[in-house]
Amino acid sequence: SFLNFTVPATWFQSVNAFFIITLGIPVAGFWYNWKKKGKEASSIFKIAIGVVIMGWGFLFMSAASLQHEAEGSSAMYWLVLAYLFHTIGELCASPVALSFITKLAPLKYASIMMGVYFAATGLGNYVAAWVGVWSQTAGELEIFTGIAIFCTIIGGLVIAIKEPLKRLTHGAEDFSEETMGKKAMA
């Protein structure tokens, strides 16, 4: 309940959409200003940061689990904070990943690669369902904390090896006049 009002559980389905609508422009503006300051703003870096932020969102679910164990219920702000971090992470990773695929894929395979990306997303949702089933036996706290640790480690590893990964992209994000001229001639 909130201010003597019982919040229907179905309202939480709109929290993610609300955050996407309200935070889309600020997150894009952040990355624009970040790059203008000369800081790292490659797609690989943004995707990795997005994964880390999404992982940290699960720490709020771990806190909710701890509160539920101690008090028999947990506050709704844990879920709202988890959604907030998941949405910010999604806004850092998802649109960038879609753009990155179109930059890297050969023109004739771009649509197939987009399909592979969405198939991987579907597979991820399938795996998430199994993780949800496992959480009944492993425990919610362990699952949420494990996801947070896993995402943080994977994001950190990608950030650590981003320079070799950027070399593998063969200048897909290099927007200098020299490379843009070469791309226009190609």
Side-chain angles (χ1 to χ4, degrees):
S1 55
F2 180 72
L3 300 174
N4 295 326
F5 173 73
T6 301
V7 178
T10 55
W11 284 18
F12 288 100
Q13 292 181 359
S14 63
V15 173
N16 178 252
F18 172 78
F19 283 142
I20 287 173
I21 290 168
T22 57
L23 297 176
I25 291 172
V27 169
F30 170 81
W31 287 118
Y32 176 77
N33 290 328
W34 187 263
K35 187 171 184 170
K36 277 181 59 176
K37 291 177 182 176
K39 296 182 180 178
E40 173 67 44
S42 67
S43 293
I44 294 168
F45 180 76
K46 291 176 190 176
I47 293 167
I49 290 294
V51 169
V52 170
I53 293 170
M54 281 187 267
W56 290 352
F58 283 98
L59 293 175
F60 295 109
M61 298 307 295
S62 296
S65 180
L66 287 171
Q67 185 179 29
H68 187 270
E69 286 178 17
E71 300 174 15
S73 65
S74 56
M76 67 180 178
Y77 56 79
W78 295 121
L79 184 59
V80 173
L81 287 169
Y83 272 127
L84 173 66
F85 273 63
H86 292 163
T87 304
I88 292 171
E90 178 186 359
L91 288 170
C92 290
S94 186
V96 175
L98 292 170
S99 172
F100 198 50
I101 288 168
T102 59
K103 289 177 190 174
L104 290 178
L107 188 57
K108 64 182 181 178
Y109 297 120
S111 58
I112 291 171
M113 292 310 296
M114 293 299 286
V116 169
Y117 173 82
F118 285 113
T121 302
L123 178 63
N125 286 326
Y126 179 75
V127 171
W130 280 106
V131 170
V133 170
W134 294 329
S135 70
Q136 294 175 356
T137 56
E140 293 172 352
L141 175 63
E142 290 79 6
I143 293 293
F144 291 141
T145 306
I147 293 171
I149 292 168
F150 177 79
C151 290
T152 303
I153 289 171
I154 294 298
L157 284 173
V158 170
I159 290 169
I161 63 168
K162 74 180 177 318
E163 293 307 319
L165 290 173
K166 285 186 341 187
R167 283 193 297 273
L168 290 173
T169 65
H170 302 288
E173 293 190 303
D174 186 6
F175 298 113
S176 66
E177 289 182 29
E178 179 184 328
T179 58
M180 290 304 287
K182 287 180 185 177
K183 289 178 184 180
M185 289 181 196

